[in-house]
Amino acid sequence: MKRLINYVPIHFLLFLILGISTQFYTNFWQFGFVQLFLLLLLFLGLFFLIPNKIVRTLCSFLVFFLIGVSAVFINNKENYKNYYSSYLNSNAQVTLKVTKILKSGMYAHKYEADVIQVDTLKTKGTILLNIFKDSFSSTLKVDEILVTKALFTELNPPLNPHQFNYKLYLAKQGIYQQLFLEKSDYISLGFKGLSLVGFSAKFRDLVQEALSKYHFKPDELAVINALLLGQRQDISKDLIAQYSNAGAIHILAVSGLHVGIILLILSALLKPIERFKNGKFLKSLLIICILWMFAFVAGLSASVVRAVTMFTFLAIGNAFQRKKVTEFSLISSMFFLLLVKPLFLFDVGFQLSYLAVFGIIWIQPKLYKIYTPTYKIEHKIWQLITVSIAAQIGVLPLSLYYFHQFPGLFMLSNLIIIPCLGAILIGGILLIFMALLGVLPQFLASIYGFIISLMNSFVSWISQQEYFLFKDISLSFLMMIATYVLLILGIRFLIKTAPKKAIYFLVSVLFFQSVILFEKYQKNTKIELIVFHKTRKSALGLRNGGMVNIYHTIDSLEVKKINMIQGYTVGENIKPIFRNQFSDVFHFKNKDVLVIDSLGVYKVKGLKKPFIIIRNSPKLNMERLIKTMNPSHIIADGSNYKSDVKRWKSSAKKLKIPFHDTGEKGAFKY
């Protein structure tokens, strides 16, 4: 560990990450490409001209910080003069090129598309493309060219607190606008040249067409597509939930696990090549070529490219027989990927995969020494157990922060599935080539489909053991950082006890406890009124410390499962109490609150500048209401008709009364 900490590139990597994060979240550098290049040259010049060690160290760190800034700045297409939005108008003819097929929504097929031309001007920029479903429309293909005149719309942030922020998620991929089209709104110009990704997509289409002839069940074919072709679009929500609850969701995403297994199999199969002159180098070259071929078959998705890049560096390191090759290859691959694609840093898959590998290379060898197996099969089982535990330790705080659940039976699902995964992958690759050549016997396809069905059934059984699935675990960003600090310093101390390490560990314990006390104080002292947004329904929260009363008009069996309530209570780490009735008038934090429902009754005496919450579209004369009640604020929730809200808003604006529409501004919080 000490040698790894002293490894110079890891310091550069940390400053690169700091530069990427700073530029993405603050966008502080807006002075152009030339100025950024000159600033980099300045610090490089100071590094070479000033012999002082401290100055050189500071300059080198600043250089890599600025490289991180410049990587984000260069990758952000909004910073270019030919960014598409600069040329848009109501009559502009836009030419799009489909670059990626996404999982379809309930009403529309979704794609990523590049805006390659606005009228006659060549442009750049990526959008989210939504094509409404109908019985006559067919799905678009990668590299297909479309022409349309439809208007772009901004992506909306979440309307309730602690909900998934799809707008921020797409912003981390360089997408800031979307387009909704009917079949009649665009003309397809077909394909004008295939990109590498487009060629890969065509190959996958051929594979899927070949496999469709062999009578696989829908879930079998969906899992085969996910395992071997990196296509998860056809997997049902229920099946994804089952794999997630069983702690085996990583099986369905072609990533480091799959590439690592293929690397191990290839290393064993190609070992005889090492006997020849320069055999190790030739073996590594062959492995790298085969891994990139697999990446091509799997669609060159971000997760596959990341994994293959990581193992490419590992294969190169093995060829040169470097010490600590795994650690150094891992850091080098991460550094290279972030230079080329800086926004990978914010990808959850990127974070989880690298943390899992760090956990394995650092913790697993120490765990393995706890017990010495006697038999070979025992050795393999113990090795797999320690690898699973080490990987889980590496990703646990981050996965709790993002997903708020922990599958207690992850060990069982991994022990059964992972030893078989190598055979499933190799068997699947052979199955694909036989199907493409038209020589695959139906009985072999049926056997393979039966194996996939067995895996699905096993995962389904694991996911049904709800006592071992720990849900709704709240972990803040600060608590996640404190947990990682505690884990890292605690494991360092346990690996090799020393007074200095003991002090660091005790400091981490104090930091962890301080965060717990700080967040507990914040939770217990927070008092809040919140009007949630829910279409056609009403939900109002009155929070006092660690408890929140939820008044609602939602079905009592469904309300606990609704994302907006669950997200809020888990995110705030508070306990909800559900009440299916509303009070018309109540007092909250020295403030009168009047709730007006469909009856439209509001003449209540003794209220001083109240908040007025309107629900269920009552028939109101808004100007008369304002003059009668003199409210300080008017809130219209999602149960009201949009036409009514628009009329009320206009009247409130005329009389200069603050008006909050939850459908437009999101939940109201006081």
Side-chain angles (χ1 to χ4, degrees):
M1 184 68 183
K2 187 177 180 181
R3 181 173 172 177
L4 186 62
I5 291 169
N6 293 332
Y7 183 49
V8 174
I10 203 169
H11 304 148
F12 296 154
L13 175 64
L14 291 173
F15 277 88
L16 180 78
I17 289 170
L18 184 62
I20 291 169
S21 304
T22 304
Q23 178 62 18
F24 179 80
Y25 285 111
T26 66
N27 200 25
F28 83 98
W29 186 267
Q30 296 181 335
F31 308 107
F33 296 99
V34 176
Q35 293 88 334
L36 187 57
F37 179 68
L38 290 174
L39 194 62
L40 273 168
L41 282 180
L42 173 66
F43 286 114
L44 278 171
L46 290 173
F47 176 82
F48 288 110
L49 292 172
I50 300 174
N52 185 281
K53 188 177 179 181
I54 295 173
V55 173
R56 281 191 163 188
T57 302
L58 286 173
C59 285
S60 62
F61 288 159
L62 282 169
V63 163
F64 281 93
F65 174 81
L66 287 172
I67 288 172
V69 170
S70 60
V72 176
F73 191 77
I74 290 166
N75 274 271
N76 187 353
K77 294 174 184 176
E78 286 186 307
N79 296 322
Y80 293 83
K81 289 181 180 179
N82 62 340
Y83 186 64
Y84 73 89
S85 66
S86 307
Y87 306 103
L88 290 177
N89 58 64
S90 57
N91 295 315
Q93 182 173 280
V94 179
T95 306
L96 306 171
K97 183 178 182 180
V98 177
T99 55
K100 188 177 180 181
I101 301 169
L102 306 174
K103 190 174 179 68
S104 296
M106 188 176 293
Y107 305 109
H109 298 296
K110 294 178 179 289
Y111 309 88
E112 283 182 18
D114 285 343
V115 183
I116 58 174
Q117 192 170 306
V118 176
D119 291 329
T120 58
L121 297 166
K122 300 291 182 185
T123 57
K124 60 172 60 182
T126 307
I127 62 157
L128 175 66
L129 176 62
N130 302 274
I131 307 290
F132 287 113
K133 295 178 180 178
D134 64 50
S135 55
F136 302 103
S137 65
S138 57
T139 56
L140 303 176
K141 304 293 183 184
V142 174
D143 286 340
E144 190 167 352
I145 307 293
L146 312 177
V147 176
T148 182
K149 278 194 172 183
L151 294 174
F152 292 80
T153 57
E154 295 296 321
L155 292 152
N156 297 319
L159 293 174
N160 291 295
H162 299 288
Q163 283 192 312
F164 176 65
N165 193 334
Y166 193 50
K167 180 178 181 177
L168 180 61
Y169 169 77
L170 289 176
K172 290 173 180 177
Q173 299 177 58
I175 299 172
Y176 303 98
Q177 287 186 311
Q178 62 182 333
L179 193 57
F180 290 91
L181 300 177
E182 301 277 0
K183 173 69 176 173
S184 57
D185 292 332
Y186 67 90
I187 298 170
S188 174
L189 301 181
F191 302 87
K192 294 184 179 178
L194 279 179
S195 65
L196 188 62
V197 175
F199 188 57
S200 170
K202 270 198 169 301
F203 178 78
R204 288 199 314 278
D205 289 342
L206 285 173
V207 172
Q208 288 173 330
E209 188 180 340
L211 290 176
S212 65
K213 299 172 184 176
Y214 290 92
H215 313 298
F216 290 108
K217 294 175 184 175
D219 277 350
E220 291 172 2
L221 193 57
V223 171
I224 290 169
N225 283 333
L227 277 173
L228 303 168
L229 304 177
Q231 300 299 293
R232 293 174 58 178
Q233 291 94 329
D234 298 326
I235 302 178
S236 66
K237 287 184 179 179
D238 288 341
L239 192 59
I240 286 178
Q242 287 170 5
Y243 271 84
S244 178
N245 293 342
I249 192 66
H250 53 285
I251 304 294
L252 296 179
V254 178
S255 57
L257 173 66
H258 304 70
V259 177
I261 288 170
I262 291 170
L263 176 66
L264 287 173
I265 292 168
L266 289 173
S267 295
L269 290 175
L270 299 176
K271 196 167 182 65
I273 295 175
E274 293 181 10
R275 298 172 188 169
F276 299 101
K277 186 181 179 182
N278 299 320
K280 285 205 169 185
F281 177 78
L282 183 61
K283 176 188 168 184
S284 297
L285 189 63
L286 276 170
I287 287 172
I288 290 167
C289 289
I290 295 169
L291 288 180
W292 281 104
M293 284 171 64
F294 176 71
F296 173 80
V297 171
L300 294 169
S301 65
S303 60
V304 180
V305 170
R306 285 196 303 263
V308 173
T309 302
M310 186 195 304
F311 285 106
T312 296
F313 275 84
L314 183 62
I316 292 168
N318 278 325
F320 287 101
Q321 296 181 311
R322 289 286 308 272
K323 291 181 179 178
K324 295 278 183 182
V325 64
T326 310
E327 294 96 322
F328 299 154
S329 299
L330 194 66
I331 292 163
S332 303
S333 66
M334 191 174 180
F335 190 91
F336 174 76
L337 281 169
L338 291 178
L339 274 179
V340 178
K341 291 282 187 181
L343 298 188
F344 273 174
L345 178 65
F346 308 108
D347 189 284
V348 179
F350 178 88
Q351 296 166 11
L352 289 172
S353 60
Y354 272 96
L355 284 170
V357 177
F358 267 121
I360 290 166
I361 63 175
W362 185 37
I363 301 169
Q364 191 270 339
K366 315 302 175 187
L367 285 176
Y368 187 79
K369 291 177 182 176
I370 294 172
Y371 169 70
T372 306
T374 308
Y375 303 103
K376 192 172 182 179
I377 186 68
E378 194 182 359
H379 155 74
K380 291 292 181 185
I381 292 171
W382 178 237
Q383 190 177 43
L384 190 59
I385 289 171
T386 53
V387 165
S388 294
I389 293 172
Q392 199 67 45
I393 290 171
V395 302
L396 182 59
L398 190 69
S399 60
L400 289 179
Y401 171 68
Y402 281 123
F403 308 119
H404 308 296
Q405 67 176 35
F406 174 69
L409 292 177
F410 77 92
M411 183 71 68
L412 181 58
S413 54
N414 286 335
L415 273 175
I416 301 298
I417 295 173
I418 291 178
C420 306
L421 192 58
I424 291 171
L425 288 172
I426 297 300
I429 291 167
L430 291 173
L431 196 84
I432 284 172
F433 282 107
M434 290 174 74
L436 285 171
L437 294 170
V439 295
L440 175 64
Q442 178 60 50
F443 80 91
L444 279 181
S446 299
I447 291 170
Y448 191 78
F450 177 70
I451 291 167
I452 297 296
S453 280
L454 275 180
M455 183 171 75
N456 289 345
S457 300
F458 173 71
V459 166
S460 177
W461 177 78
I462 291 283
S463 69
Q464 289 168 17
Q465 313 309 308
E466 294 185 359
Y467 291 110
F468 298 95
L469 179 62
F470 306 100
K471 289 184 174 182
D472 300 339
I473 301 170
S474 180
L475 195 74
S476 68
F477 180 78
L478 185 60
M479 180 57 75
M480 179 192 71
I481 297 298
T483 306
Y484 269 119
V485 171
L486 182 69
L487 277 173
I488 292 166
L489 295 178
I491 291 167
R492 281 189 74 217
F493 173 64
L494 291 172
I495 288 170
K496 190 176 180 181
T497 55
K500 196 174 181 181
K501 290 180 180 179
I503 292 169
Y504 289 150
F505 175 55
L506 289 173
V507 169
S508 73
V509 171
L510 286 172
F511 175 53
F512 185 79
Q513 291 175 327
S514 300
V515 172
I516 290 174
L517 291 171
F518 171 71
E519 291 193 346
K520 190 174 182 180
Y521 171 78
Q522 273 197 324
K523 181 178 80 172
N524 291 336
T525 55
K526 192 171 185 179
I527 299 170
E528 183 174 62
L529 178 149
I530 178 166
V531 181
F532 296 98
H533 177 79
K534 176 68 176 171
T535 306
R536 300 189 185 92
K537 301 291 181 182
S538 295
L540 168 71
L542 296 179
R543 175 179 172 180
N544 191 351
M547 302 283 287
V548 59
N549 286 288
I550 305 290
Y551 299 89
H552 64 91
T553 59
I554 306 164
D555 184 88
S556 299
L557 297 174
E558 295 295 322
V559 68
K560 295 179 183 179
K561 301 175 185 177
I562 289 178
N563 286 336
M564 68 173 190
I565 306 292
Q566 196 176 34
Y568 177 72
T569 54
V570 173
E572 296 286 329
N573 193 20
I574 55 178
K575 185 180 178 182
I577 298 171
F578 295 98
R579 304 182 187 278
N580 57 358
Q581 72 242 358
F582 271 83
S583 298
D584 295 333
V585 183
F586 59 90
H587 199 66
F588 179 81
K589 202 178 178 182
N590 301 320
K591 195 73 181 175
D592 293 322
V593 182
L594 172 64
V595 180
I596 303 175
D597 61 15
S598 57
L599 297 175
V601 177
Y602 61 82
K603 291 182 180 180
V604 180
K605 293 181 180 180
L607 301 182
K608 295 179 180 179
K609 296 185 75 66
F611 281 154
I612 293 181
I613 300 169
I614 307 175
R615 66 186 191 90
N616 291 341
S617 281
K619 293 180 180 179
L620 290 173
N621 183 315
M622 182 55 66
E623 291 188 18
R624 188 185 302 157
L625 168 66
I626 291 170
K627 288 174 183 176
T628 303
M629 301 306 299
N630 189 26
S632 62
H633 218 108
I634 298 172
I635 304 105
D637 72 7
S639 65
N640 298 289
Y641 293 122
K642 289 183 180 180
S643 56
D644 289 341
V645 174
K646 188 177 180 180
R647 189 176 67 253
W648 298 335
K649 184 180 178 181
S650 177
S651 299
K653 186 179 180 180
K654 183 180 175 182
L655 295 173
K656 297 180 181 179
I657 298 295
F659 187 90
H660 188 102
D661 171 17
T662 62
E664 179 188 347
K665 297 180 180 179
F668 174 81
K669 293 172 76 175
Y670 172 71

